[in-house]
């Protein structure tokens, strides 16, 4: 018997992240501009840094209460109220180790072995393994033919085809990798079909602060009784390394989430919670600055890419552009991304790294400086011209 065959197949069968595989291939190319990363290029807010330093000096370095520090829970509650008009008292919130642990705790709590979870694709690639490791079975729905927007019909069809076995839907908008987000009507239609079928919703809204036209409508305002809301400060406050996310939901579910969360991690880092609390308490100016910067970069990059024939649908949120490779060029997304990296020295992630519906696409993150975006745009445009002039 090999060691591997004696381990948990739910873990050993998970494939390594295709993003990392690709990253390994292109990272050593000299002078490459990497538009691959899913994190803002801004430093974390000063308020967070100052608070963390004084927390350490003050010896606030012991375990925090399992659901989170009272200060942070209150600041999350205030943030959700002021930004999305949501009413979550502290006892309906759990602070987690990044949004990633919020997702893991949510599925740990709601899934029974074999339960099915609808996952719109293209998707953030961790979703698949998080669901499978918790014993669930993802049902992937390709949204590419519908402008990357999940429709109520798609949900209903999947529910009908799976005969009472669908437990939940995993939503993510603004969406990684497509940058597409939903209008009020689109979100409402999804809420209605989930309510009709009594489906739990895990709504990953980590990019909610990065919507460029219109306002973000949280699923939790439309379907509070069935929604577990996932968010955090990683993206909104450029605090990816602090590892603070949170989960909010109905009291009767959250009391069990607390058990799941405790068994996974006990609690999130105390110092990081102090930092996140300070970041949320200082208000939203910092976010506004980032949002404006991203919007400027997005507009510039969108114009450059579409000028040479990339097609990009509704990049109205997050900081990604999911660019359809022009039809006269190599349509294999992995090979196109490798060629672009080697020849133009710009790296984007092949669309196939994000599940189904990403063939012929490449994902660029514009969470890089405007100078880098301009230089990357020039390189891509020149590369495409050079291919056409061959
Ligand atoms: C859609 C989505 N959800 C969750 C995460 C993970 O967030 P965190 O770093 O807070 O764990 C990411 C990170 O890229 C993401 O894109």
């Amino acid at each position: 018997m090999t060691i591997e065959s004696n381990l948990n197949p739910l873990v050993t069968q998970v494939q390594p992240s295709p993003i990392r595989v690709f990253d390994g291939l292109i990272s050593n190319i000299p002078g490459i501009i990497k538009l691959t990363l899913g994190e803002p290029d801004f430093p974390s807010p000063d308020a967070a840094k100052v608070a963390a330093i004084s927390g350490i000096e003050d010896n606030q370095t012991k375990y925090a209460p399992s659901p989170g520090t009272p200060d942070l829970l209150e600041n999350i509650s205030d943030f959700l109220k002021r930004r999305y008009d949501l009413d979550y008292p502290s006892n309906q919130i759990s602070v987690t180790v990044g949004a990633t642990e919020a997702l893991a705790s949510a599925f740990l709590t709601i899934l029974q072995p074999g339960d099915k979870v609808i996952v719109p694709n293209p998707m953030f690639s961790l979703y698949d393994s998080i669901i499978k490791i918790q014993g669930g079975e993802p049902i992937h729905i390709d949204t590419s033919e519908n402008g990357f927007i999940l429709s109520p019909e798609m949900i209903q069809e999947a529910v009908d085809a799976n005969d009472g076995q669908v437990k939940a839907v995993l939503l993510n908008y603004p969406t990684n990798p497509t940058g597409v987000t939903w209008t009020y009507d689109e979100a409402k239609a999804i809420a209605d079909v989930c309510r009709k079928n009594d489906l739990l919703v895990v709504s990953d809204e980590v990019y909610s602060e990065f919507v460029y036209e219109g306002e973000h409508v949280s699923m939790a305002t439309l379907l509070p009784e069935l929604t577990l809301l996932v968010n955090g400060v990683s993206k909104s406050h450029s605090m990816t390394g602090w590892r603070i996310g949170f989960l909010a939901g109905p009291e009767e579910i959250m009391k069990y989430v607390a058990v799941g969360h405790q068994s996974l991690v006990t609690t999130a880092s105390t110092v990081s919670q102090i930092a996140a609390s300070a970041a949320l308490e200082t208000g939203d100016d910092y976010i506004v600055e980032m949002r404006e910067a991203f919007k400027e970069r997005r507009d510039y990059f969108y114009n450059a890419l579409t000028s040479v024939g990339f097609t990009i649908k509704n990049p109205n949120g997050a900081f990604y552009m999911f660019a359809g490779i022009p039809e006269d060029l190599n349509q294999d997304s992995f090979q196109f991304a490798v060629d672009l990296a080697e020849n133009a020295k710009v790296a984007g992630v092949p669309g196939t790294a994000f599940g189904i519906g990403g063939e012929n696409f490449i994902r660029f993150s514009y969470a890089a400086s405007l100078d880098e975006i301009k230089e990357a745009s020039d390189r891509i445009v020149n590369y495409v011209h050079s291919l056409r002039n061959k």
Side-chain angles (χ1 to χ4, degrees):
M1 191 195 300
T2 62
I3 289 183
E4 194 181 313
S5 67
N6 206 21
L7 302 179
N8 180 354
L10 296 178
V11 175
T12 53
Q13 282 165 18
V14 169
Q15 301 297 318
S17 157
I19 301 182
R20 286 183 188 274
V21 174
F22 177 75
D23 210 58
L25 278 179
I26 54 92
S27 280
N28 293 331
I29 296 175
I32 192 146
I33 300 178
K34 280 173 71 170
L35 303 181
T36 46
L37 287 185
E39 61 182 349
D41 59 317
F42 292 83
S44 299
D46 283 342
K49 295 191 243 179
V50 170
I53 291 166
S54 66
I56 293 170
E57 285 173 350
D58 207 21
N59 289 316
Q60 294 189 53
T61 51
K62 302 292 168 75
Y63 290 125
S66 182
T69 62
D71 277 356
L72 178 54
L73 290 168
E74 194 180 318
N75 280 316
I76 291 169
S77 179
D78 290 351
F79 175 76
L80 291 175
K81 180 70 188 167
R82 89 175 165 263
R83 295 293 300 134
Y84 310 115
D85 200 23
L86 291 168
D87 291 299
Y88 284 112
S90 295
N91 68 335
Q92 288 181 236
I93 302 171
S94 203
V95 175
T96 55
V97 180
T100 305
E101 193 248 314
L103 290 160
S105 286
F107 286 112
L108 175 64
T109 307
I110 68 177
L111 290 184
Q112 297 178 20
D115 277 348
K116 298 189 177 178
V117 181
I118 292 175
V119 186
N121 275 227
M123 61 167 180
F124 173 49
S125 34
L126 259 188
Y127 288 160
D128 208 51
S129 48
I130 289 177
I131 293 168
K132 285 182 179 158
I133 284 174
Q134 311 289 352
E137 188 187 320
I139 302 176
H140 297 287
I141 296 186
D142 182 359
T143 62
S144 59
E145 295 296 315
N146 195 41
F148 299 118
I149 292 177
L150 181 71
S151 71
E153 292 78 20
M154 293 174 190
I155 294 185
Q156 191 61 57
E157 217 172 278
V159 168
D160 294 344
N162 284 280
D163 205 20
Q165 290 174 300
V166 179
K167 166 70 68 71
V169 185
L170 173 47
L171 304 177
N172 170 225
Y173 66 99
T175 309
N176 176 8
T178 62
V180 168
T181 194
W182 303 352
T183 62
Y184 175 88
D185 289 346
E186 285 158 349
K188 173 86 172 48
I190 297 297
D192 290 346
V193 75
C194 291
R195 182 178 287 114
K196 182 176 152 221
N197 291 284
D198 205 20
L199 300 175
L200 288 167
V201 171
V202 177
S203 191
D204 178 350
E205 302 181 20
V206 294
Y207 296 103
S208 58
E209 287 299 311
F210 301 120
V211 173
Y212 304 106
E213 277 94 32
E215 293 288 321
H216 178 74
V217 184
S218 176
M219 194 46 51
T221 52
L222 302 166
L223 191 66
E225 72 279 18
L226 290 171
T227 299
L228 287 171
L229 173 66
V230 174
N231 211 322
V233 294
S234 295
K235 316 286 174 175
S236 61
H237 292 77
S238 196
M239 292 180 68
T240 45
W242 300 83
R243 310 307 300 129
I244 296 294
F246 60 86
L247 196 56
E251 199 179 344
E252 58 276 23
I253 303 182
M254 289 308 294
K255 72 178 184 215
Y256 297 111
V257 164
V259 178
H261 161 71
Q262 193 166 33
S263 71
L264 286 176
V265 297
T266 306
T267 177
S269 144
T270 304
V271 172
S272 293
Q273 294 193 60
I274 293 170
S277 186
L280 290 169
E281 196 169 14
T282 23
D284 305 322
D285 292 353
Y286 192 78
I287 304 175
V288 173
E289 266 174 48
M290 269 201 289
R291 189 188 302 129
E292 281 169 2
F294 286 150
K295 184 168 189 295
E296 187 182 6
R297 299 169 193 185
R298 178 199 68 160
D299 291 345
Y300 188 95
F301 201 33
Y302 177 85
N303 288 335
L305 290 174
T306 52
S307 76
V308 285
F310 287 90
T311 48
I312 304 164
K313 289 174 190 154
N314 303 315
N316 188 25
F319 35 71
Y320 303 111
M321 226 162 255
F322 206 55
I325 302 164
E327 274 176 21
D328 57 323
L329 306 184
N330 185 346
Q331 290 290 291
D332 179 314
S333 75
F334 194 87
Q335 196 54 50
F336 181 84
V338 172
D339 290 347
L340 187 74
E342 284 175 352
N343 297 301
K345 304 207 184 316
V346 179
V349 182
T352 44
F354 305 99
I356 52 176
E359 303 78 13
N360 317 333
F361 287 85
I362 179 165
R363 187 196 77 173
F364 296 110
S365 158
Y366 50 90
S369 73
L370 187 58
D371 285 346
E372 276 183 305
I373 295 292
K374 286 183 174 171
E375 176 61 25
S377 298
D378 286 349
R379 292 184 190 182
I380 295 170
V381 166
N382 290 336
Y383 175 64
V384 173
H385 284 153
S386 73
L387 289 175
R388 290 190 175 136
N389 291 335
K390 261 186 188 166

